[in-house]
Amino acid sequence: MLLAGGQGSRLYALTQNVAKPAVPFGGKYRIIDFPLSNCVNSGIDTVGVLTQYQPLELNVYLGNGEPWDLDRANGGLHSLAPYSTSGGDGSWYAGTANAIYQNIGFIDQYDPEYVIVLSGDNISKMDYTEMLAVHKANNAAATISVLTVTMEEAKRFGIMNVNDDDTIYEFEEKPAHPKSNLASMGVYCFTWSKLRQYLIEDEADPDSSNDFGKNIIPNMLNAGEKMMVYRFNGYWKDVGTINSLWDANMDILDPNGDLNVYDKEWPLFARNPIRPPHSILPHASLKHSFISSGCIIDGDVENSIISDSVQVGNGAVVRYSMIMPGAVIKPGAVVEYAIIAEDAVIGAGAHVGSDQVYDDPNKKVAVVGKGVNIAPGAEIEAGAMLYPEKKGGDK
Amino acid sequence: MLKNLHAIIFTNQAEYDLGPLTEIRSMSSVPYGGRYRMIDFMLSNCTNAGIIDVGLVLEENYQSLLDHVESGKDWDLTRKRGGLRLLPPFSQKAGSGNPRGRMEALANLGSYVDDIRQEYVLLADGDLAANIDLAAVFEAHLASGADVTPVCTHNYSGKPSCTTYYVPLEDGTLDVLRRPDKAVGLECLNIYIMSKEFLSRSVKDCAAHNQYSLSRHVLIPNKDKLKIVPYVFDNYAARLTSIPAYLERSMDLLKPEVMADLFTPERPIYSKDRTDASTYYAPGSAVKNAVIADGCIIEGTVENSIIFRNVKVGKGAVVKNSILMKDCTVGENADLNYVIGDKGVTFSANSRLAGHQNYPLPIAKNQKV
């Protein structure tokens, strides 16, 4: 069960009209391609995608699940939106746990022994069968994937305090004085009969916020259920903010990094645009960059991800940036430390963003929203956030 | 939706020879343009025109083609009713060899033509790279009231010795010349629209008289009785008539206006779908004037070249004026000039290979050099 209903409000201009999991990532992908590819590569063939916020583009993208080999006669991919019922008691998904609660009927159809609950808004390459193996070997009611973080970082995460045998004895949300450095990744494995029971009990509690972290996990712990951590040490990044989204895009550019997109053992699947190969014209210069199908490149591209159907004109410069599908960088324009959303146009000679310190966690990444037109010669400052309805050149 | 037009694509009518490239596959299955097989263009033209029933006439050497088209899903031709039909010569008499022409190839399909549920049929070859609005051709056919509408061009790309020409004469009639010494008038792109009834009758007539050719036995003898109205298509069209022509037609794609014409977003060209990552250009790469598909890792120099999917060009390697098909690997410091590498060729480190513009060097599939 893939939680894909989040608004992603800290991505501002990028999630104005789309759910966060549908935000383009890494040249050929959307964020949701990572959990979906992980499911398929882990041998999971039945996936429910829980949608709520701005689901249109996400649903169009998912379609019948065919790009992920999830168009199945039995199981496959199902988009699960909240619905109303004859008693009028249907409602929006009130929280992560409530979203699963409202789909108990969907899960029951398949009568599974185990259910994995994933968040559709982080980037990772993860074999869920390893988590399931830990879960089964320990006969646990729930197993929670954790990352080892620094004690300083631990203050920003949900932290699992564990015994020597990796059983969890306590869960603390963003502790001021962390006792452990095992941070929850929002990836859970449950024995379905147990989870089902706790979801029903939680729903009956009017004071509950119907959330896995706040309610279900603590309730199960308090009731003495056996709960394990699964220690994950591969790549994982929450891409909830502009800077973390930018960072993760830069991570995927490294062909020797943990997010190697050319890994034949763990292929990443995506719905592909129908576009021809890209054209590199005589004035182009490309350094440490991704270029995707349908692009026409005649400028300088350095340390950047160029998604499909992007044009970079003669004399234009794109540095340390992520350019989403269909954007046009006109001749002579300069784009630095920026995220340019789909179909945006950067006018000739315009300058978006400015040089930043690569590793600075507080660097200012400029964002130009979907379809925004930046007038020729305009200056867009570092960290600017241009929403679709704003016109950059008019600032 | 063009529910009233059926398409039949001949996949092996060409008499061209591309050496090692066609030893293992039919012309329709020859890779072209960085990520396509020749057949992709005509299949996509059909899909884009709303044609939903497409028959693919198969002759020898069709394994590669079957691997490529599978069920037709990538061209949206997998349908409950109709869709893509693969047509091996199921009614052919044993030992009678490959059909000598289109009419004989159709006769080998038994009742297929009679069973077509549309009133009109489009015949085309699978070895033409062109983005043609077939819906417009069909409209022109209906508007003119012609018996036969051949699609023709002023831009010659065929070999006259294998091609038919339509020459409008001063008195308003049309001359039809099959295999003249040199190209003249309008060169036929081997795309025809006619009624199913006319096609069915012609196939039977030819079979009864041991005749086999559409132009020689059907059109030329009846050119004064039939209303033949050519449809002129002067946009980009490529036929791969020889290895040097293969190089030349590929290099045409380095011109952005040819790419824009062949791959206009209004009528996309579909191909077998593979999820490949973007192509990575390493810090030491130097690439100019190239068409490069997804999934490549480029660490060396690439100029004036067409690079298919998943090709690796190592550090210090230089690839110029060459075509490298899917899964080729160019080792460090290798040097290639006027080379055509078929699928999966490995060029070892420090190797040097050079052909000539008029004599490019083709390397057969999966060879190690």
Side-chain angles (χ1 to χ4, degrees):
Chain A
M1 300 298 279
L2 185 50
L3 299 163
Q7 180 178 353
S9 54
R10 287 171 305 154
L11 291 179
Y12 308 98
L14 298 177
T15 47
Q16 185 89 335
N17 302 306
V18 296
K20 182 157 73 165
V23 169
F25 183 85
K28 291 291 291 275
Y29 314 104
R30 310 268 188 144
I31 291 169
I32 197 167
D33 287 322
F34 287 79
L36 282 178
S37 297
N38 288 341
C39 284
V40 175
N41 289 329
S42 301
I44 297 170
D45 61 9
T46 306
V47 180
V49 179
L50 298 128
T51 62
Q52 176 154 290
Y53 173 79
Q54 290 284 6
L56 175 63
E57 193 170 324
L58 180 61
N59 280 333
V60 168
Y61 186 71
L62 294 173
N64 66 350
E66 187 267 334
W68 304 270
D69 212 9
L70 287 171
D71 52 333
R72 301 293 181 91
N74 295 307
L77 183 145
H78 297 269
S79 177
L80 303 169
Y83 52 90
S84 64
T85 61
S86 58
D89 56 351
S91 67
W92 296 108
Y93 295 149
T96 51
N98 176 258
I100 306 293
Y101 170 82
Q102 290 201 39
N103 288 287
I104 284 177
F106 169 78
I107 300 174
D108 278 347
Q109 284 181 81
Y110 298 101
D111 192 23
E113 228 166 306
Y114 307 103
V115 170
I116 289 174
V117 177
L118 305 167
S119 61
D121 56 3
N122 49 54
I123 299 292
S124 75
K125 272 172 124 177
M126 182 171 180
D127 187 347
Y128 302 136
T129 56
E130 291 178 12
M131 172 174 62
L132 182 63
V134 168
H135 183 84
K136 285 159 94 170
N138 291 283
N139 202 16
T143 300
I144 297 170
S145 288
V146 294
L147 276 180
T148 306
V149 297
T150 64
M151 280 300 187
E152 196 50 42
E153 288 172 319
K155 294 174 186 170
R156 297 187 287 115
F157 285 95
I159 295 298
M160 301 294 159
N161 298 325
V162 298
N163 302 309
D164 289 345
D165 61 356
D166 273 357
T167 52
I168 302 167
Y169 68 86
E170 189 183 23
F171 169 73
E172 291 182 292
E173 184 68 35
K174 296 181 181 146
H177 305 285
K179 294 176 208 148
S180 133
N181 59 353
L182 299 178
S184 170
M185 297 157 54
V187 174
Y188 312 101
C189 178
F190 294 98
T191 297
W192 173 234
S193 56
K194 294 279 186 189
L195 176 62
R196 197 178 187 285
Q197 169 202 333
Y198 283 93
L199 287 173
I200 291 167
E201 286 171 16
D202 179 63
E203 192 62 22
D205 174 4
D207 298 328
S208 172
S209 36
N210 305 122
D211 183 84
F212 274 98
K214 289 187 191 126
N215 309 104
I216 301 292
I217 303 298
N219 290 351
M220 289 179 84
L221 270 175
N222 292 340
E225 297 289 354
K226 184 166 188 190
M227 301 178 71
M228 300 293 301
V229 294
Y230 163 68
R231 293 167 185 261
F232 177 71
N233 44 31
Y235 186 92
W236 181 89
K237 189 162 262 167
D238 177 85
V239 287
T241 65
I242 293 296
N243 277 10
S244 63
L245 180 67
W246 185 92
D247 285 344
N249 270 294
M250 292 300 134
D251 289 342
I252 205 172
L253 247 182
D254 181 358
N256 302 314
D258 292 331
L259 262 185
N260 178 6
V261 290
Y262 303 105
D263 183 359
K264 298 266 189 293
E265 303 299 309
W266 202 261
L268 293 165
F269 300 97
R271 185 176 291 279
N272 294 316
I274 308 298
R275 300 294 293 137
H278 57 266
S279 293
I280 307 295
L281 303 188
H283 307 104
S285 162
L286 309 167
K287 299 278 175 278
H288 189 55
S289 292
F290 276 168
I291 312 285
S292 311
S293 52
C295 291
I296 302 174
I297 309 292
D298 203 19
D300 290 4
V301 180
E302 190 193 322
N303 285 69
S304 293
I305 288 185
I306 312 291
S307 311
D308 70 272
S309 310
V310 167
Q311 295 178 36
V312 179
N314 185 2
V317 176
V318 178
R319 305 174 62 240
Y320 295 95
S321 294
M322 196 281 179
I323 315 293
M324 294 185 185
V328 179
I329 318 296
K330 296 275 191 185
V334 177
V335 174
E336 301 179 283
Y337 283 88
I339 296 176
I340 309 295
E342 294 141 292
D343 304 321
V345 177
I346 311 301
H351 196 138
V352 176
S354 68
D355 207 11
Q356 303 283 314
V357 177
Y358 184 87
D359 291 328
D360 178 1
N362 299 316
K363 65 184 154 300
K364 291 176 170 172
V365 174
V367 176
V368 176
K370 188 172 181 173
V372 170
N373 261 300
I374 304 293
E379 295 279 333
I380 306 299
E381 63 186 12
M385 180 71 60
L386 300 180
Y387 282 81
E389 70 271 22
K390 289 184 183 172
K391 291 271 193 291
D394 300 337
K395 274 180 69 139
Chain B
M1 269 310 154
L2 282 187
K3 289 200 165 67
N4 212 12
L5 184 62
H6 186 102
I8 296 177
I9 301 176
F10 298 91
T11 60
N12 205 27
Q13 278 293 308
E15 296 163 64
Y16 311 131
D17 178 10
L18 296 185
L21 305 186
T22 43
E23 237 160 61
I24 48 160
R25 50 173 89 86
S26 66
M27 255 333 272
S28 297
S29 186
V30 169
Y32 175 76
R35 62 162 292 178
Y36 302 95
R37 302 301 184 108
M38 291 303 276
I39 189 75
D40 293 340
F41 294 89
M42 202 51 72
L43 284 176
S44 301
N45 286 333
C46 289
T47 297
N48 290 332
I51 299 171
I52 49 178
D53 285 6
V54 178
L56 218 51
V57 181
L58 305 169
E59 291 167 27
E60 58 182 12
N61 221 348
Y62 59 77
Q63 185 225 330
S64 152
L65 191 64
L66 288 191
D67 284 351
H68 182 66
V69 298
E70 292 177 332
S71 63
K73 187 184 66 170
D74 290 320
W75 297 267
D76 206 15
L77 289 171
T78 307
R79 304 296 177 95
K80 275 236 151 61
R81 189 156 177 245
L84 184 74
R85 260 190 83 182
L86 302 171
L87 305 171
F90 38 72
S91 289
Q92 186 179 358
K93 290 194 187 77
S96 57
N98 271 332
R100 293 167 289 175
R102 286 174 185 75
M103 290 294 109
E104 190 162 81
L106 292 177
N108 286 344
L109 302 178
S111 64
Y112 181 80
V113 173
D114 285 339
D115 295 341
I116 287 173
R117 58 182 172 140
Q118 288 85 0
E119 270 180 275
Y120 296 91
V121 181
L122 175 128
L123 303 180
D125 283 357
D127 64 349
L128 179 75
N131 193 325
I132 303 180
D133 184 353
L134 295 177
V137 179
F138 186 45
E139 268 173 44
H141 176 79
L142 295 177
S144 71
D147 296 305
V148 179
T149 300
V151 178
C152 298
T153 181
H154 291 101
N155 305 326
Y156 301 148
S157 67
K159 260 189 202 161
S161 63
C162 310
T163 309
T164 300
Y165 293 83
Y166 292 84
V167 187
L169 300 175
E170 276 173 19
D171 62 1
T173 62
L174 192 74
D175 200 8
V176 186
L177 299 173
R178 181 172 180 263
R179 307 187 169 188
D181 293 336
K182 64 191 230 339
V184 56
L186 290 162
E187 186 178 89
C188 185
L189 291 169
N190 290 340
I191 300 170
Y192 299 91
I193 293 181
M194 59 194 76
S195 70
K196 170 203 158 184
E197 189 271 325
F198 175 77
L199 178 67
S200 170
R201 184 155 36 85
S202 303
V203 169
K204 284 175 191 149
D205 281 355
C206 283
H209 298 96
N210 190 26
Q211 293 174 337
Y212 49 84
S213 162
L214 173 64
S215 56
R216 181 173 167 188
H217 297 126
V218 178
L219 300 181
I220 292 176
N222 300 304
K223 67 182 180 196
D224 299 329
K225 280 179 267 173
L226 292 171
K227 186 172 180 188
I228 301 175
V229 183
Y231 178 95
V232 178
F233 173 84
D234 281 340
N235 281 22
Y236 187 77
R239 280 190 277 207
L240 313 175
T241 53
S242 64
I243 286 279
Y246 181 76
L247 180 76
E248 220 175 299
R249 295 292 78 76
S250 296
M251 294 306 154
D252 287 345
L253 301 174
L254 298 177
K255 298 175 199 138
E257 63 275 17
V258 171
M259 285 295 278
D261 179 343
L262 204 47
F263 300 106
T264 171
E266 288 82 65
R267 292 188 304 274
I269 302 299
Y270 301 87
S271 187
K272 186 168 180 167
D273 188 34
R274 280 176 32 148
T275 296
D276 290 300
S278 306
T279 283
Y280 177 69
Y281 292 87
S285 67
V287 180
K288 293 209 183 319
N289 219 21
V291 166
I292 301 189
D294 280 337
C296 298
I297 300 180
I298 311 290
E299 297 179 290
T301 297
V302 178
E303 282 179 29
N304 301 328
S305 294
I306 310 290
I307 309 291
F308 285 64
R309 295 186 265 195
N310 285 4
V311 168
K312 292 186 177 58
V313 177
K315 289 194 184 86
V318 177
V319 176
K320 287 187 179 168
N321 308 307
S322 293
I323 298 160
L324 299 177
M325 296 183 192
K326 198 172 85 176
D327 300 331
C328 280
T329 302
V330 182
E332 291 187 8
N333 302 311
D335 190 318
L336 310 181
N337 198 7
Y338 292 111
V339 169
I340 299 173
D342 202 330
K343 271 172 73 178
V345 172
T346 304
F347 299 92
S348 47
N350 304 308
S351 59
R352 301 181 102 67
L353 268 88
H356 183 269
Q357 185 163 11
N358 302 323
Y359 202 92
L361 183 61
I363 312 286
K365 187 176 167 183
N366 294 334
Q367 292 295 313
K368 288 198 166 50
V369 180

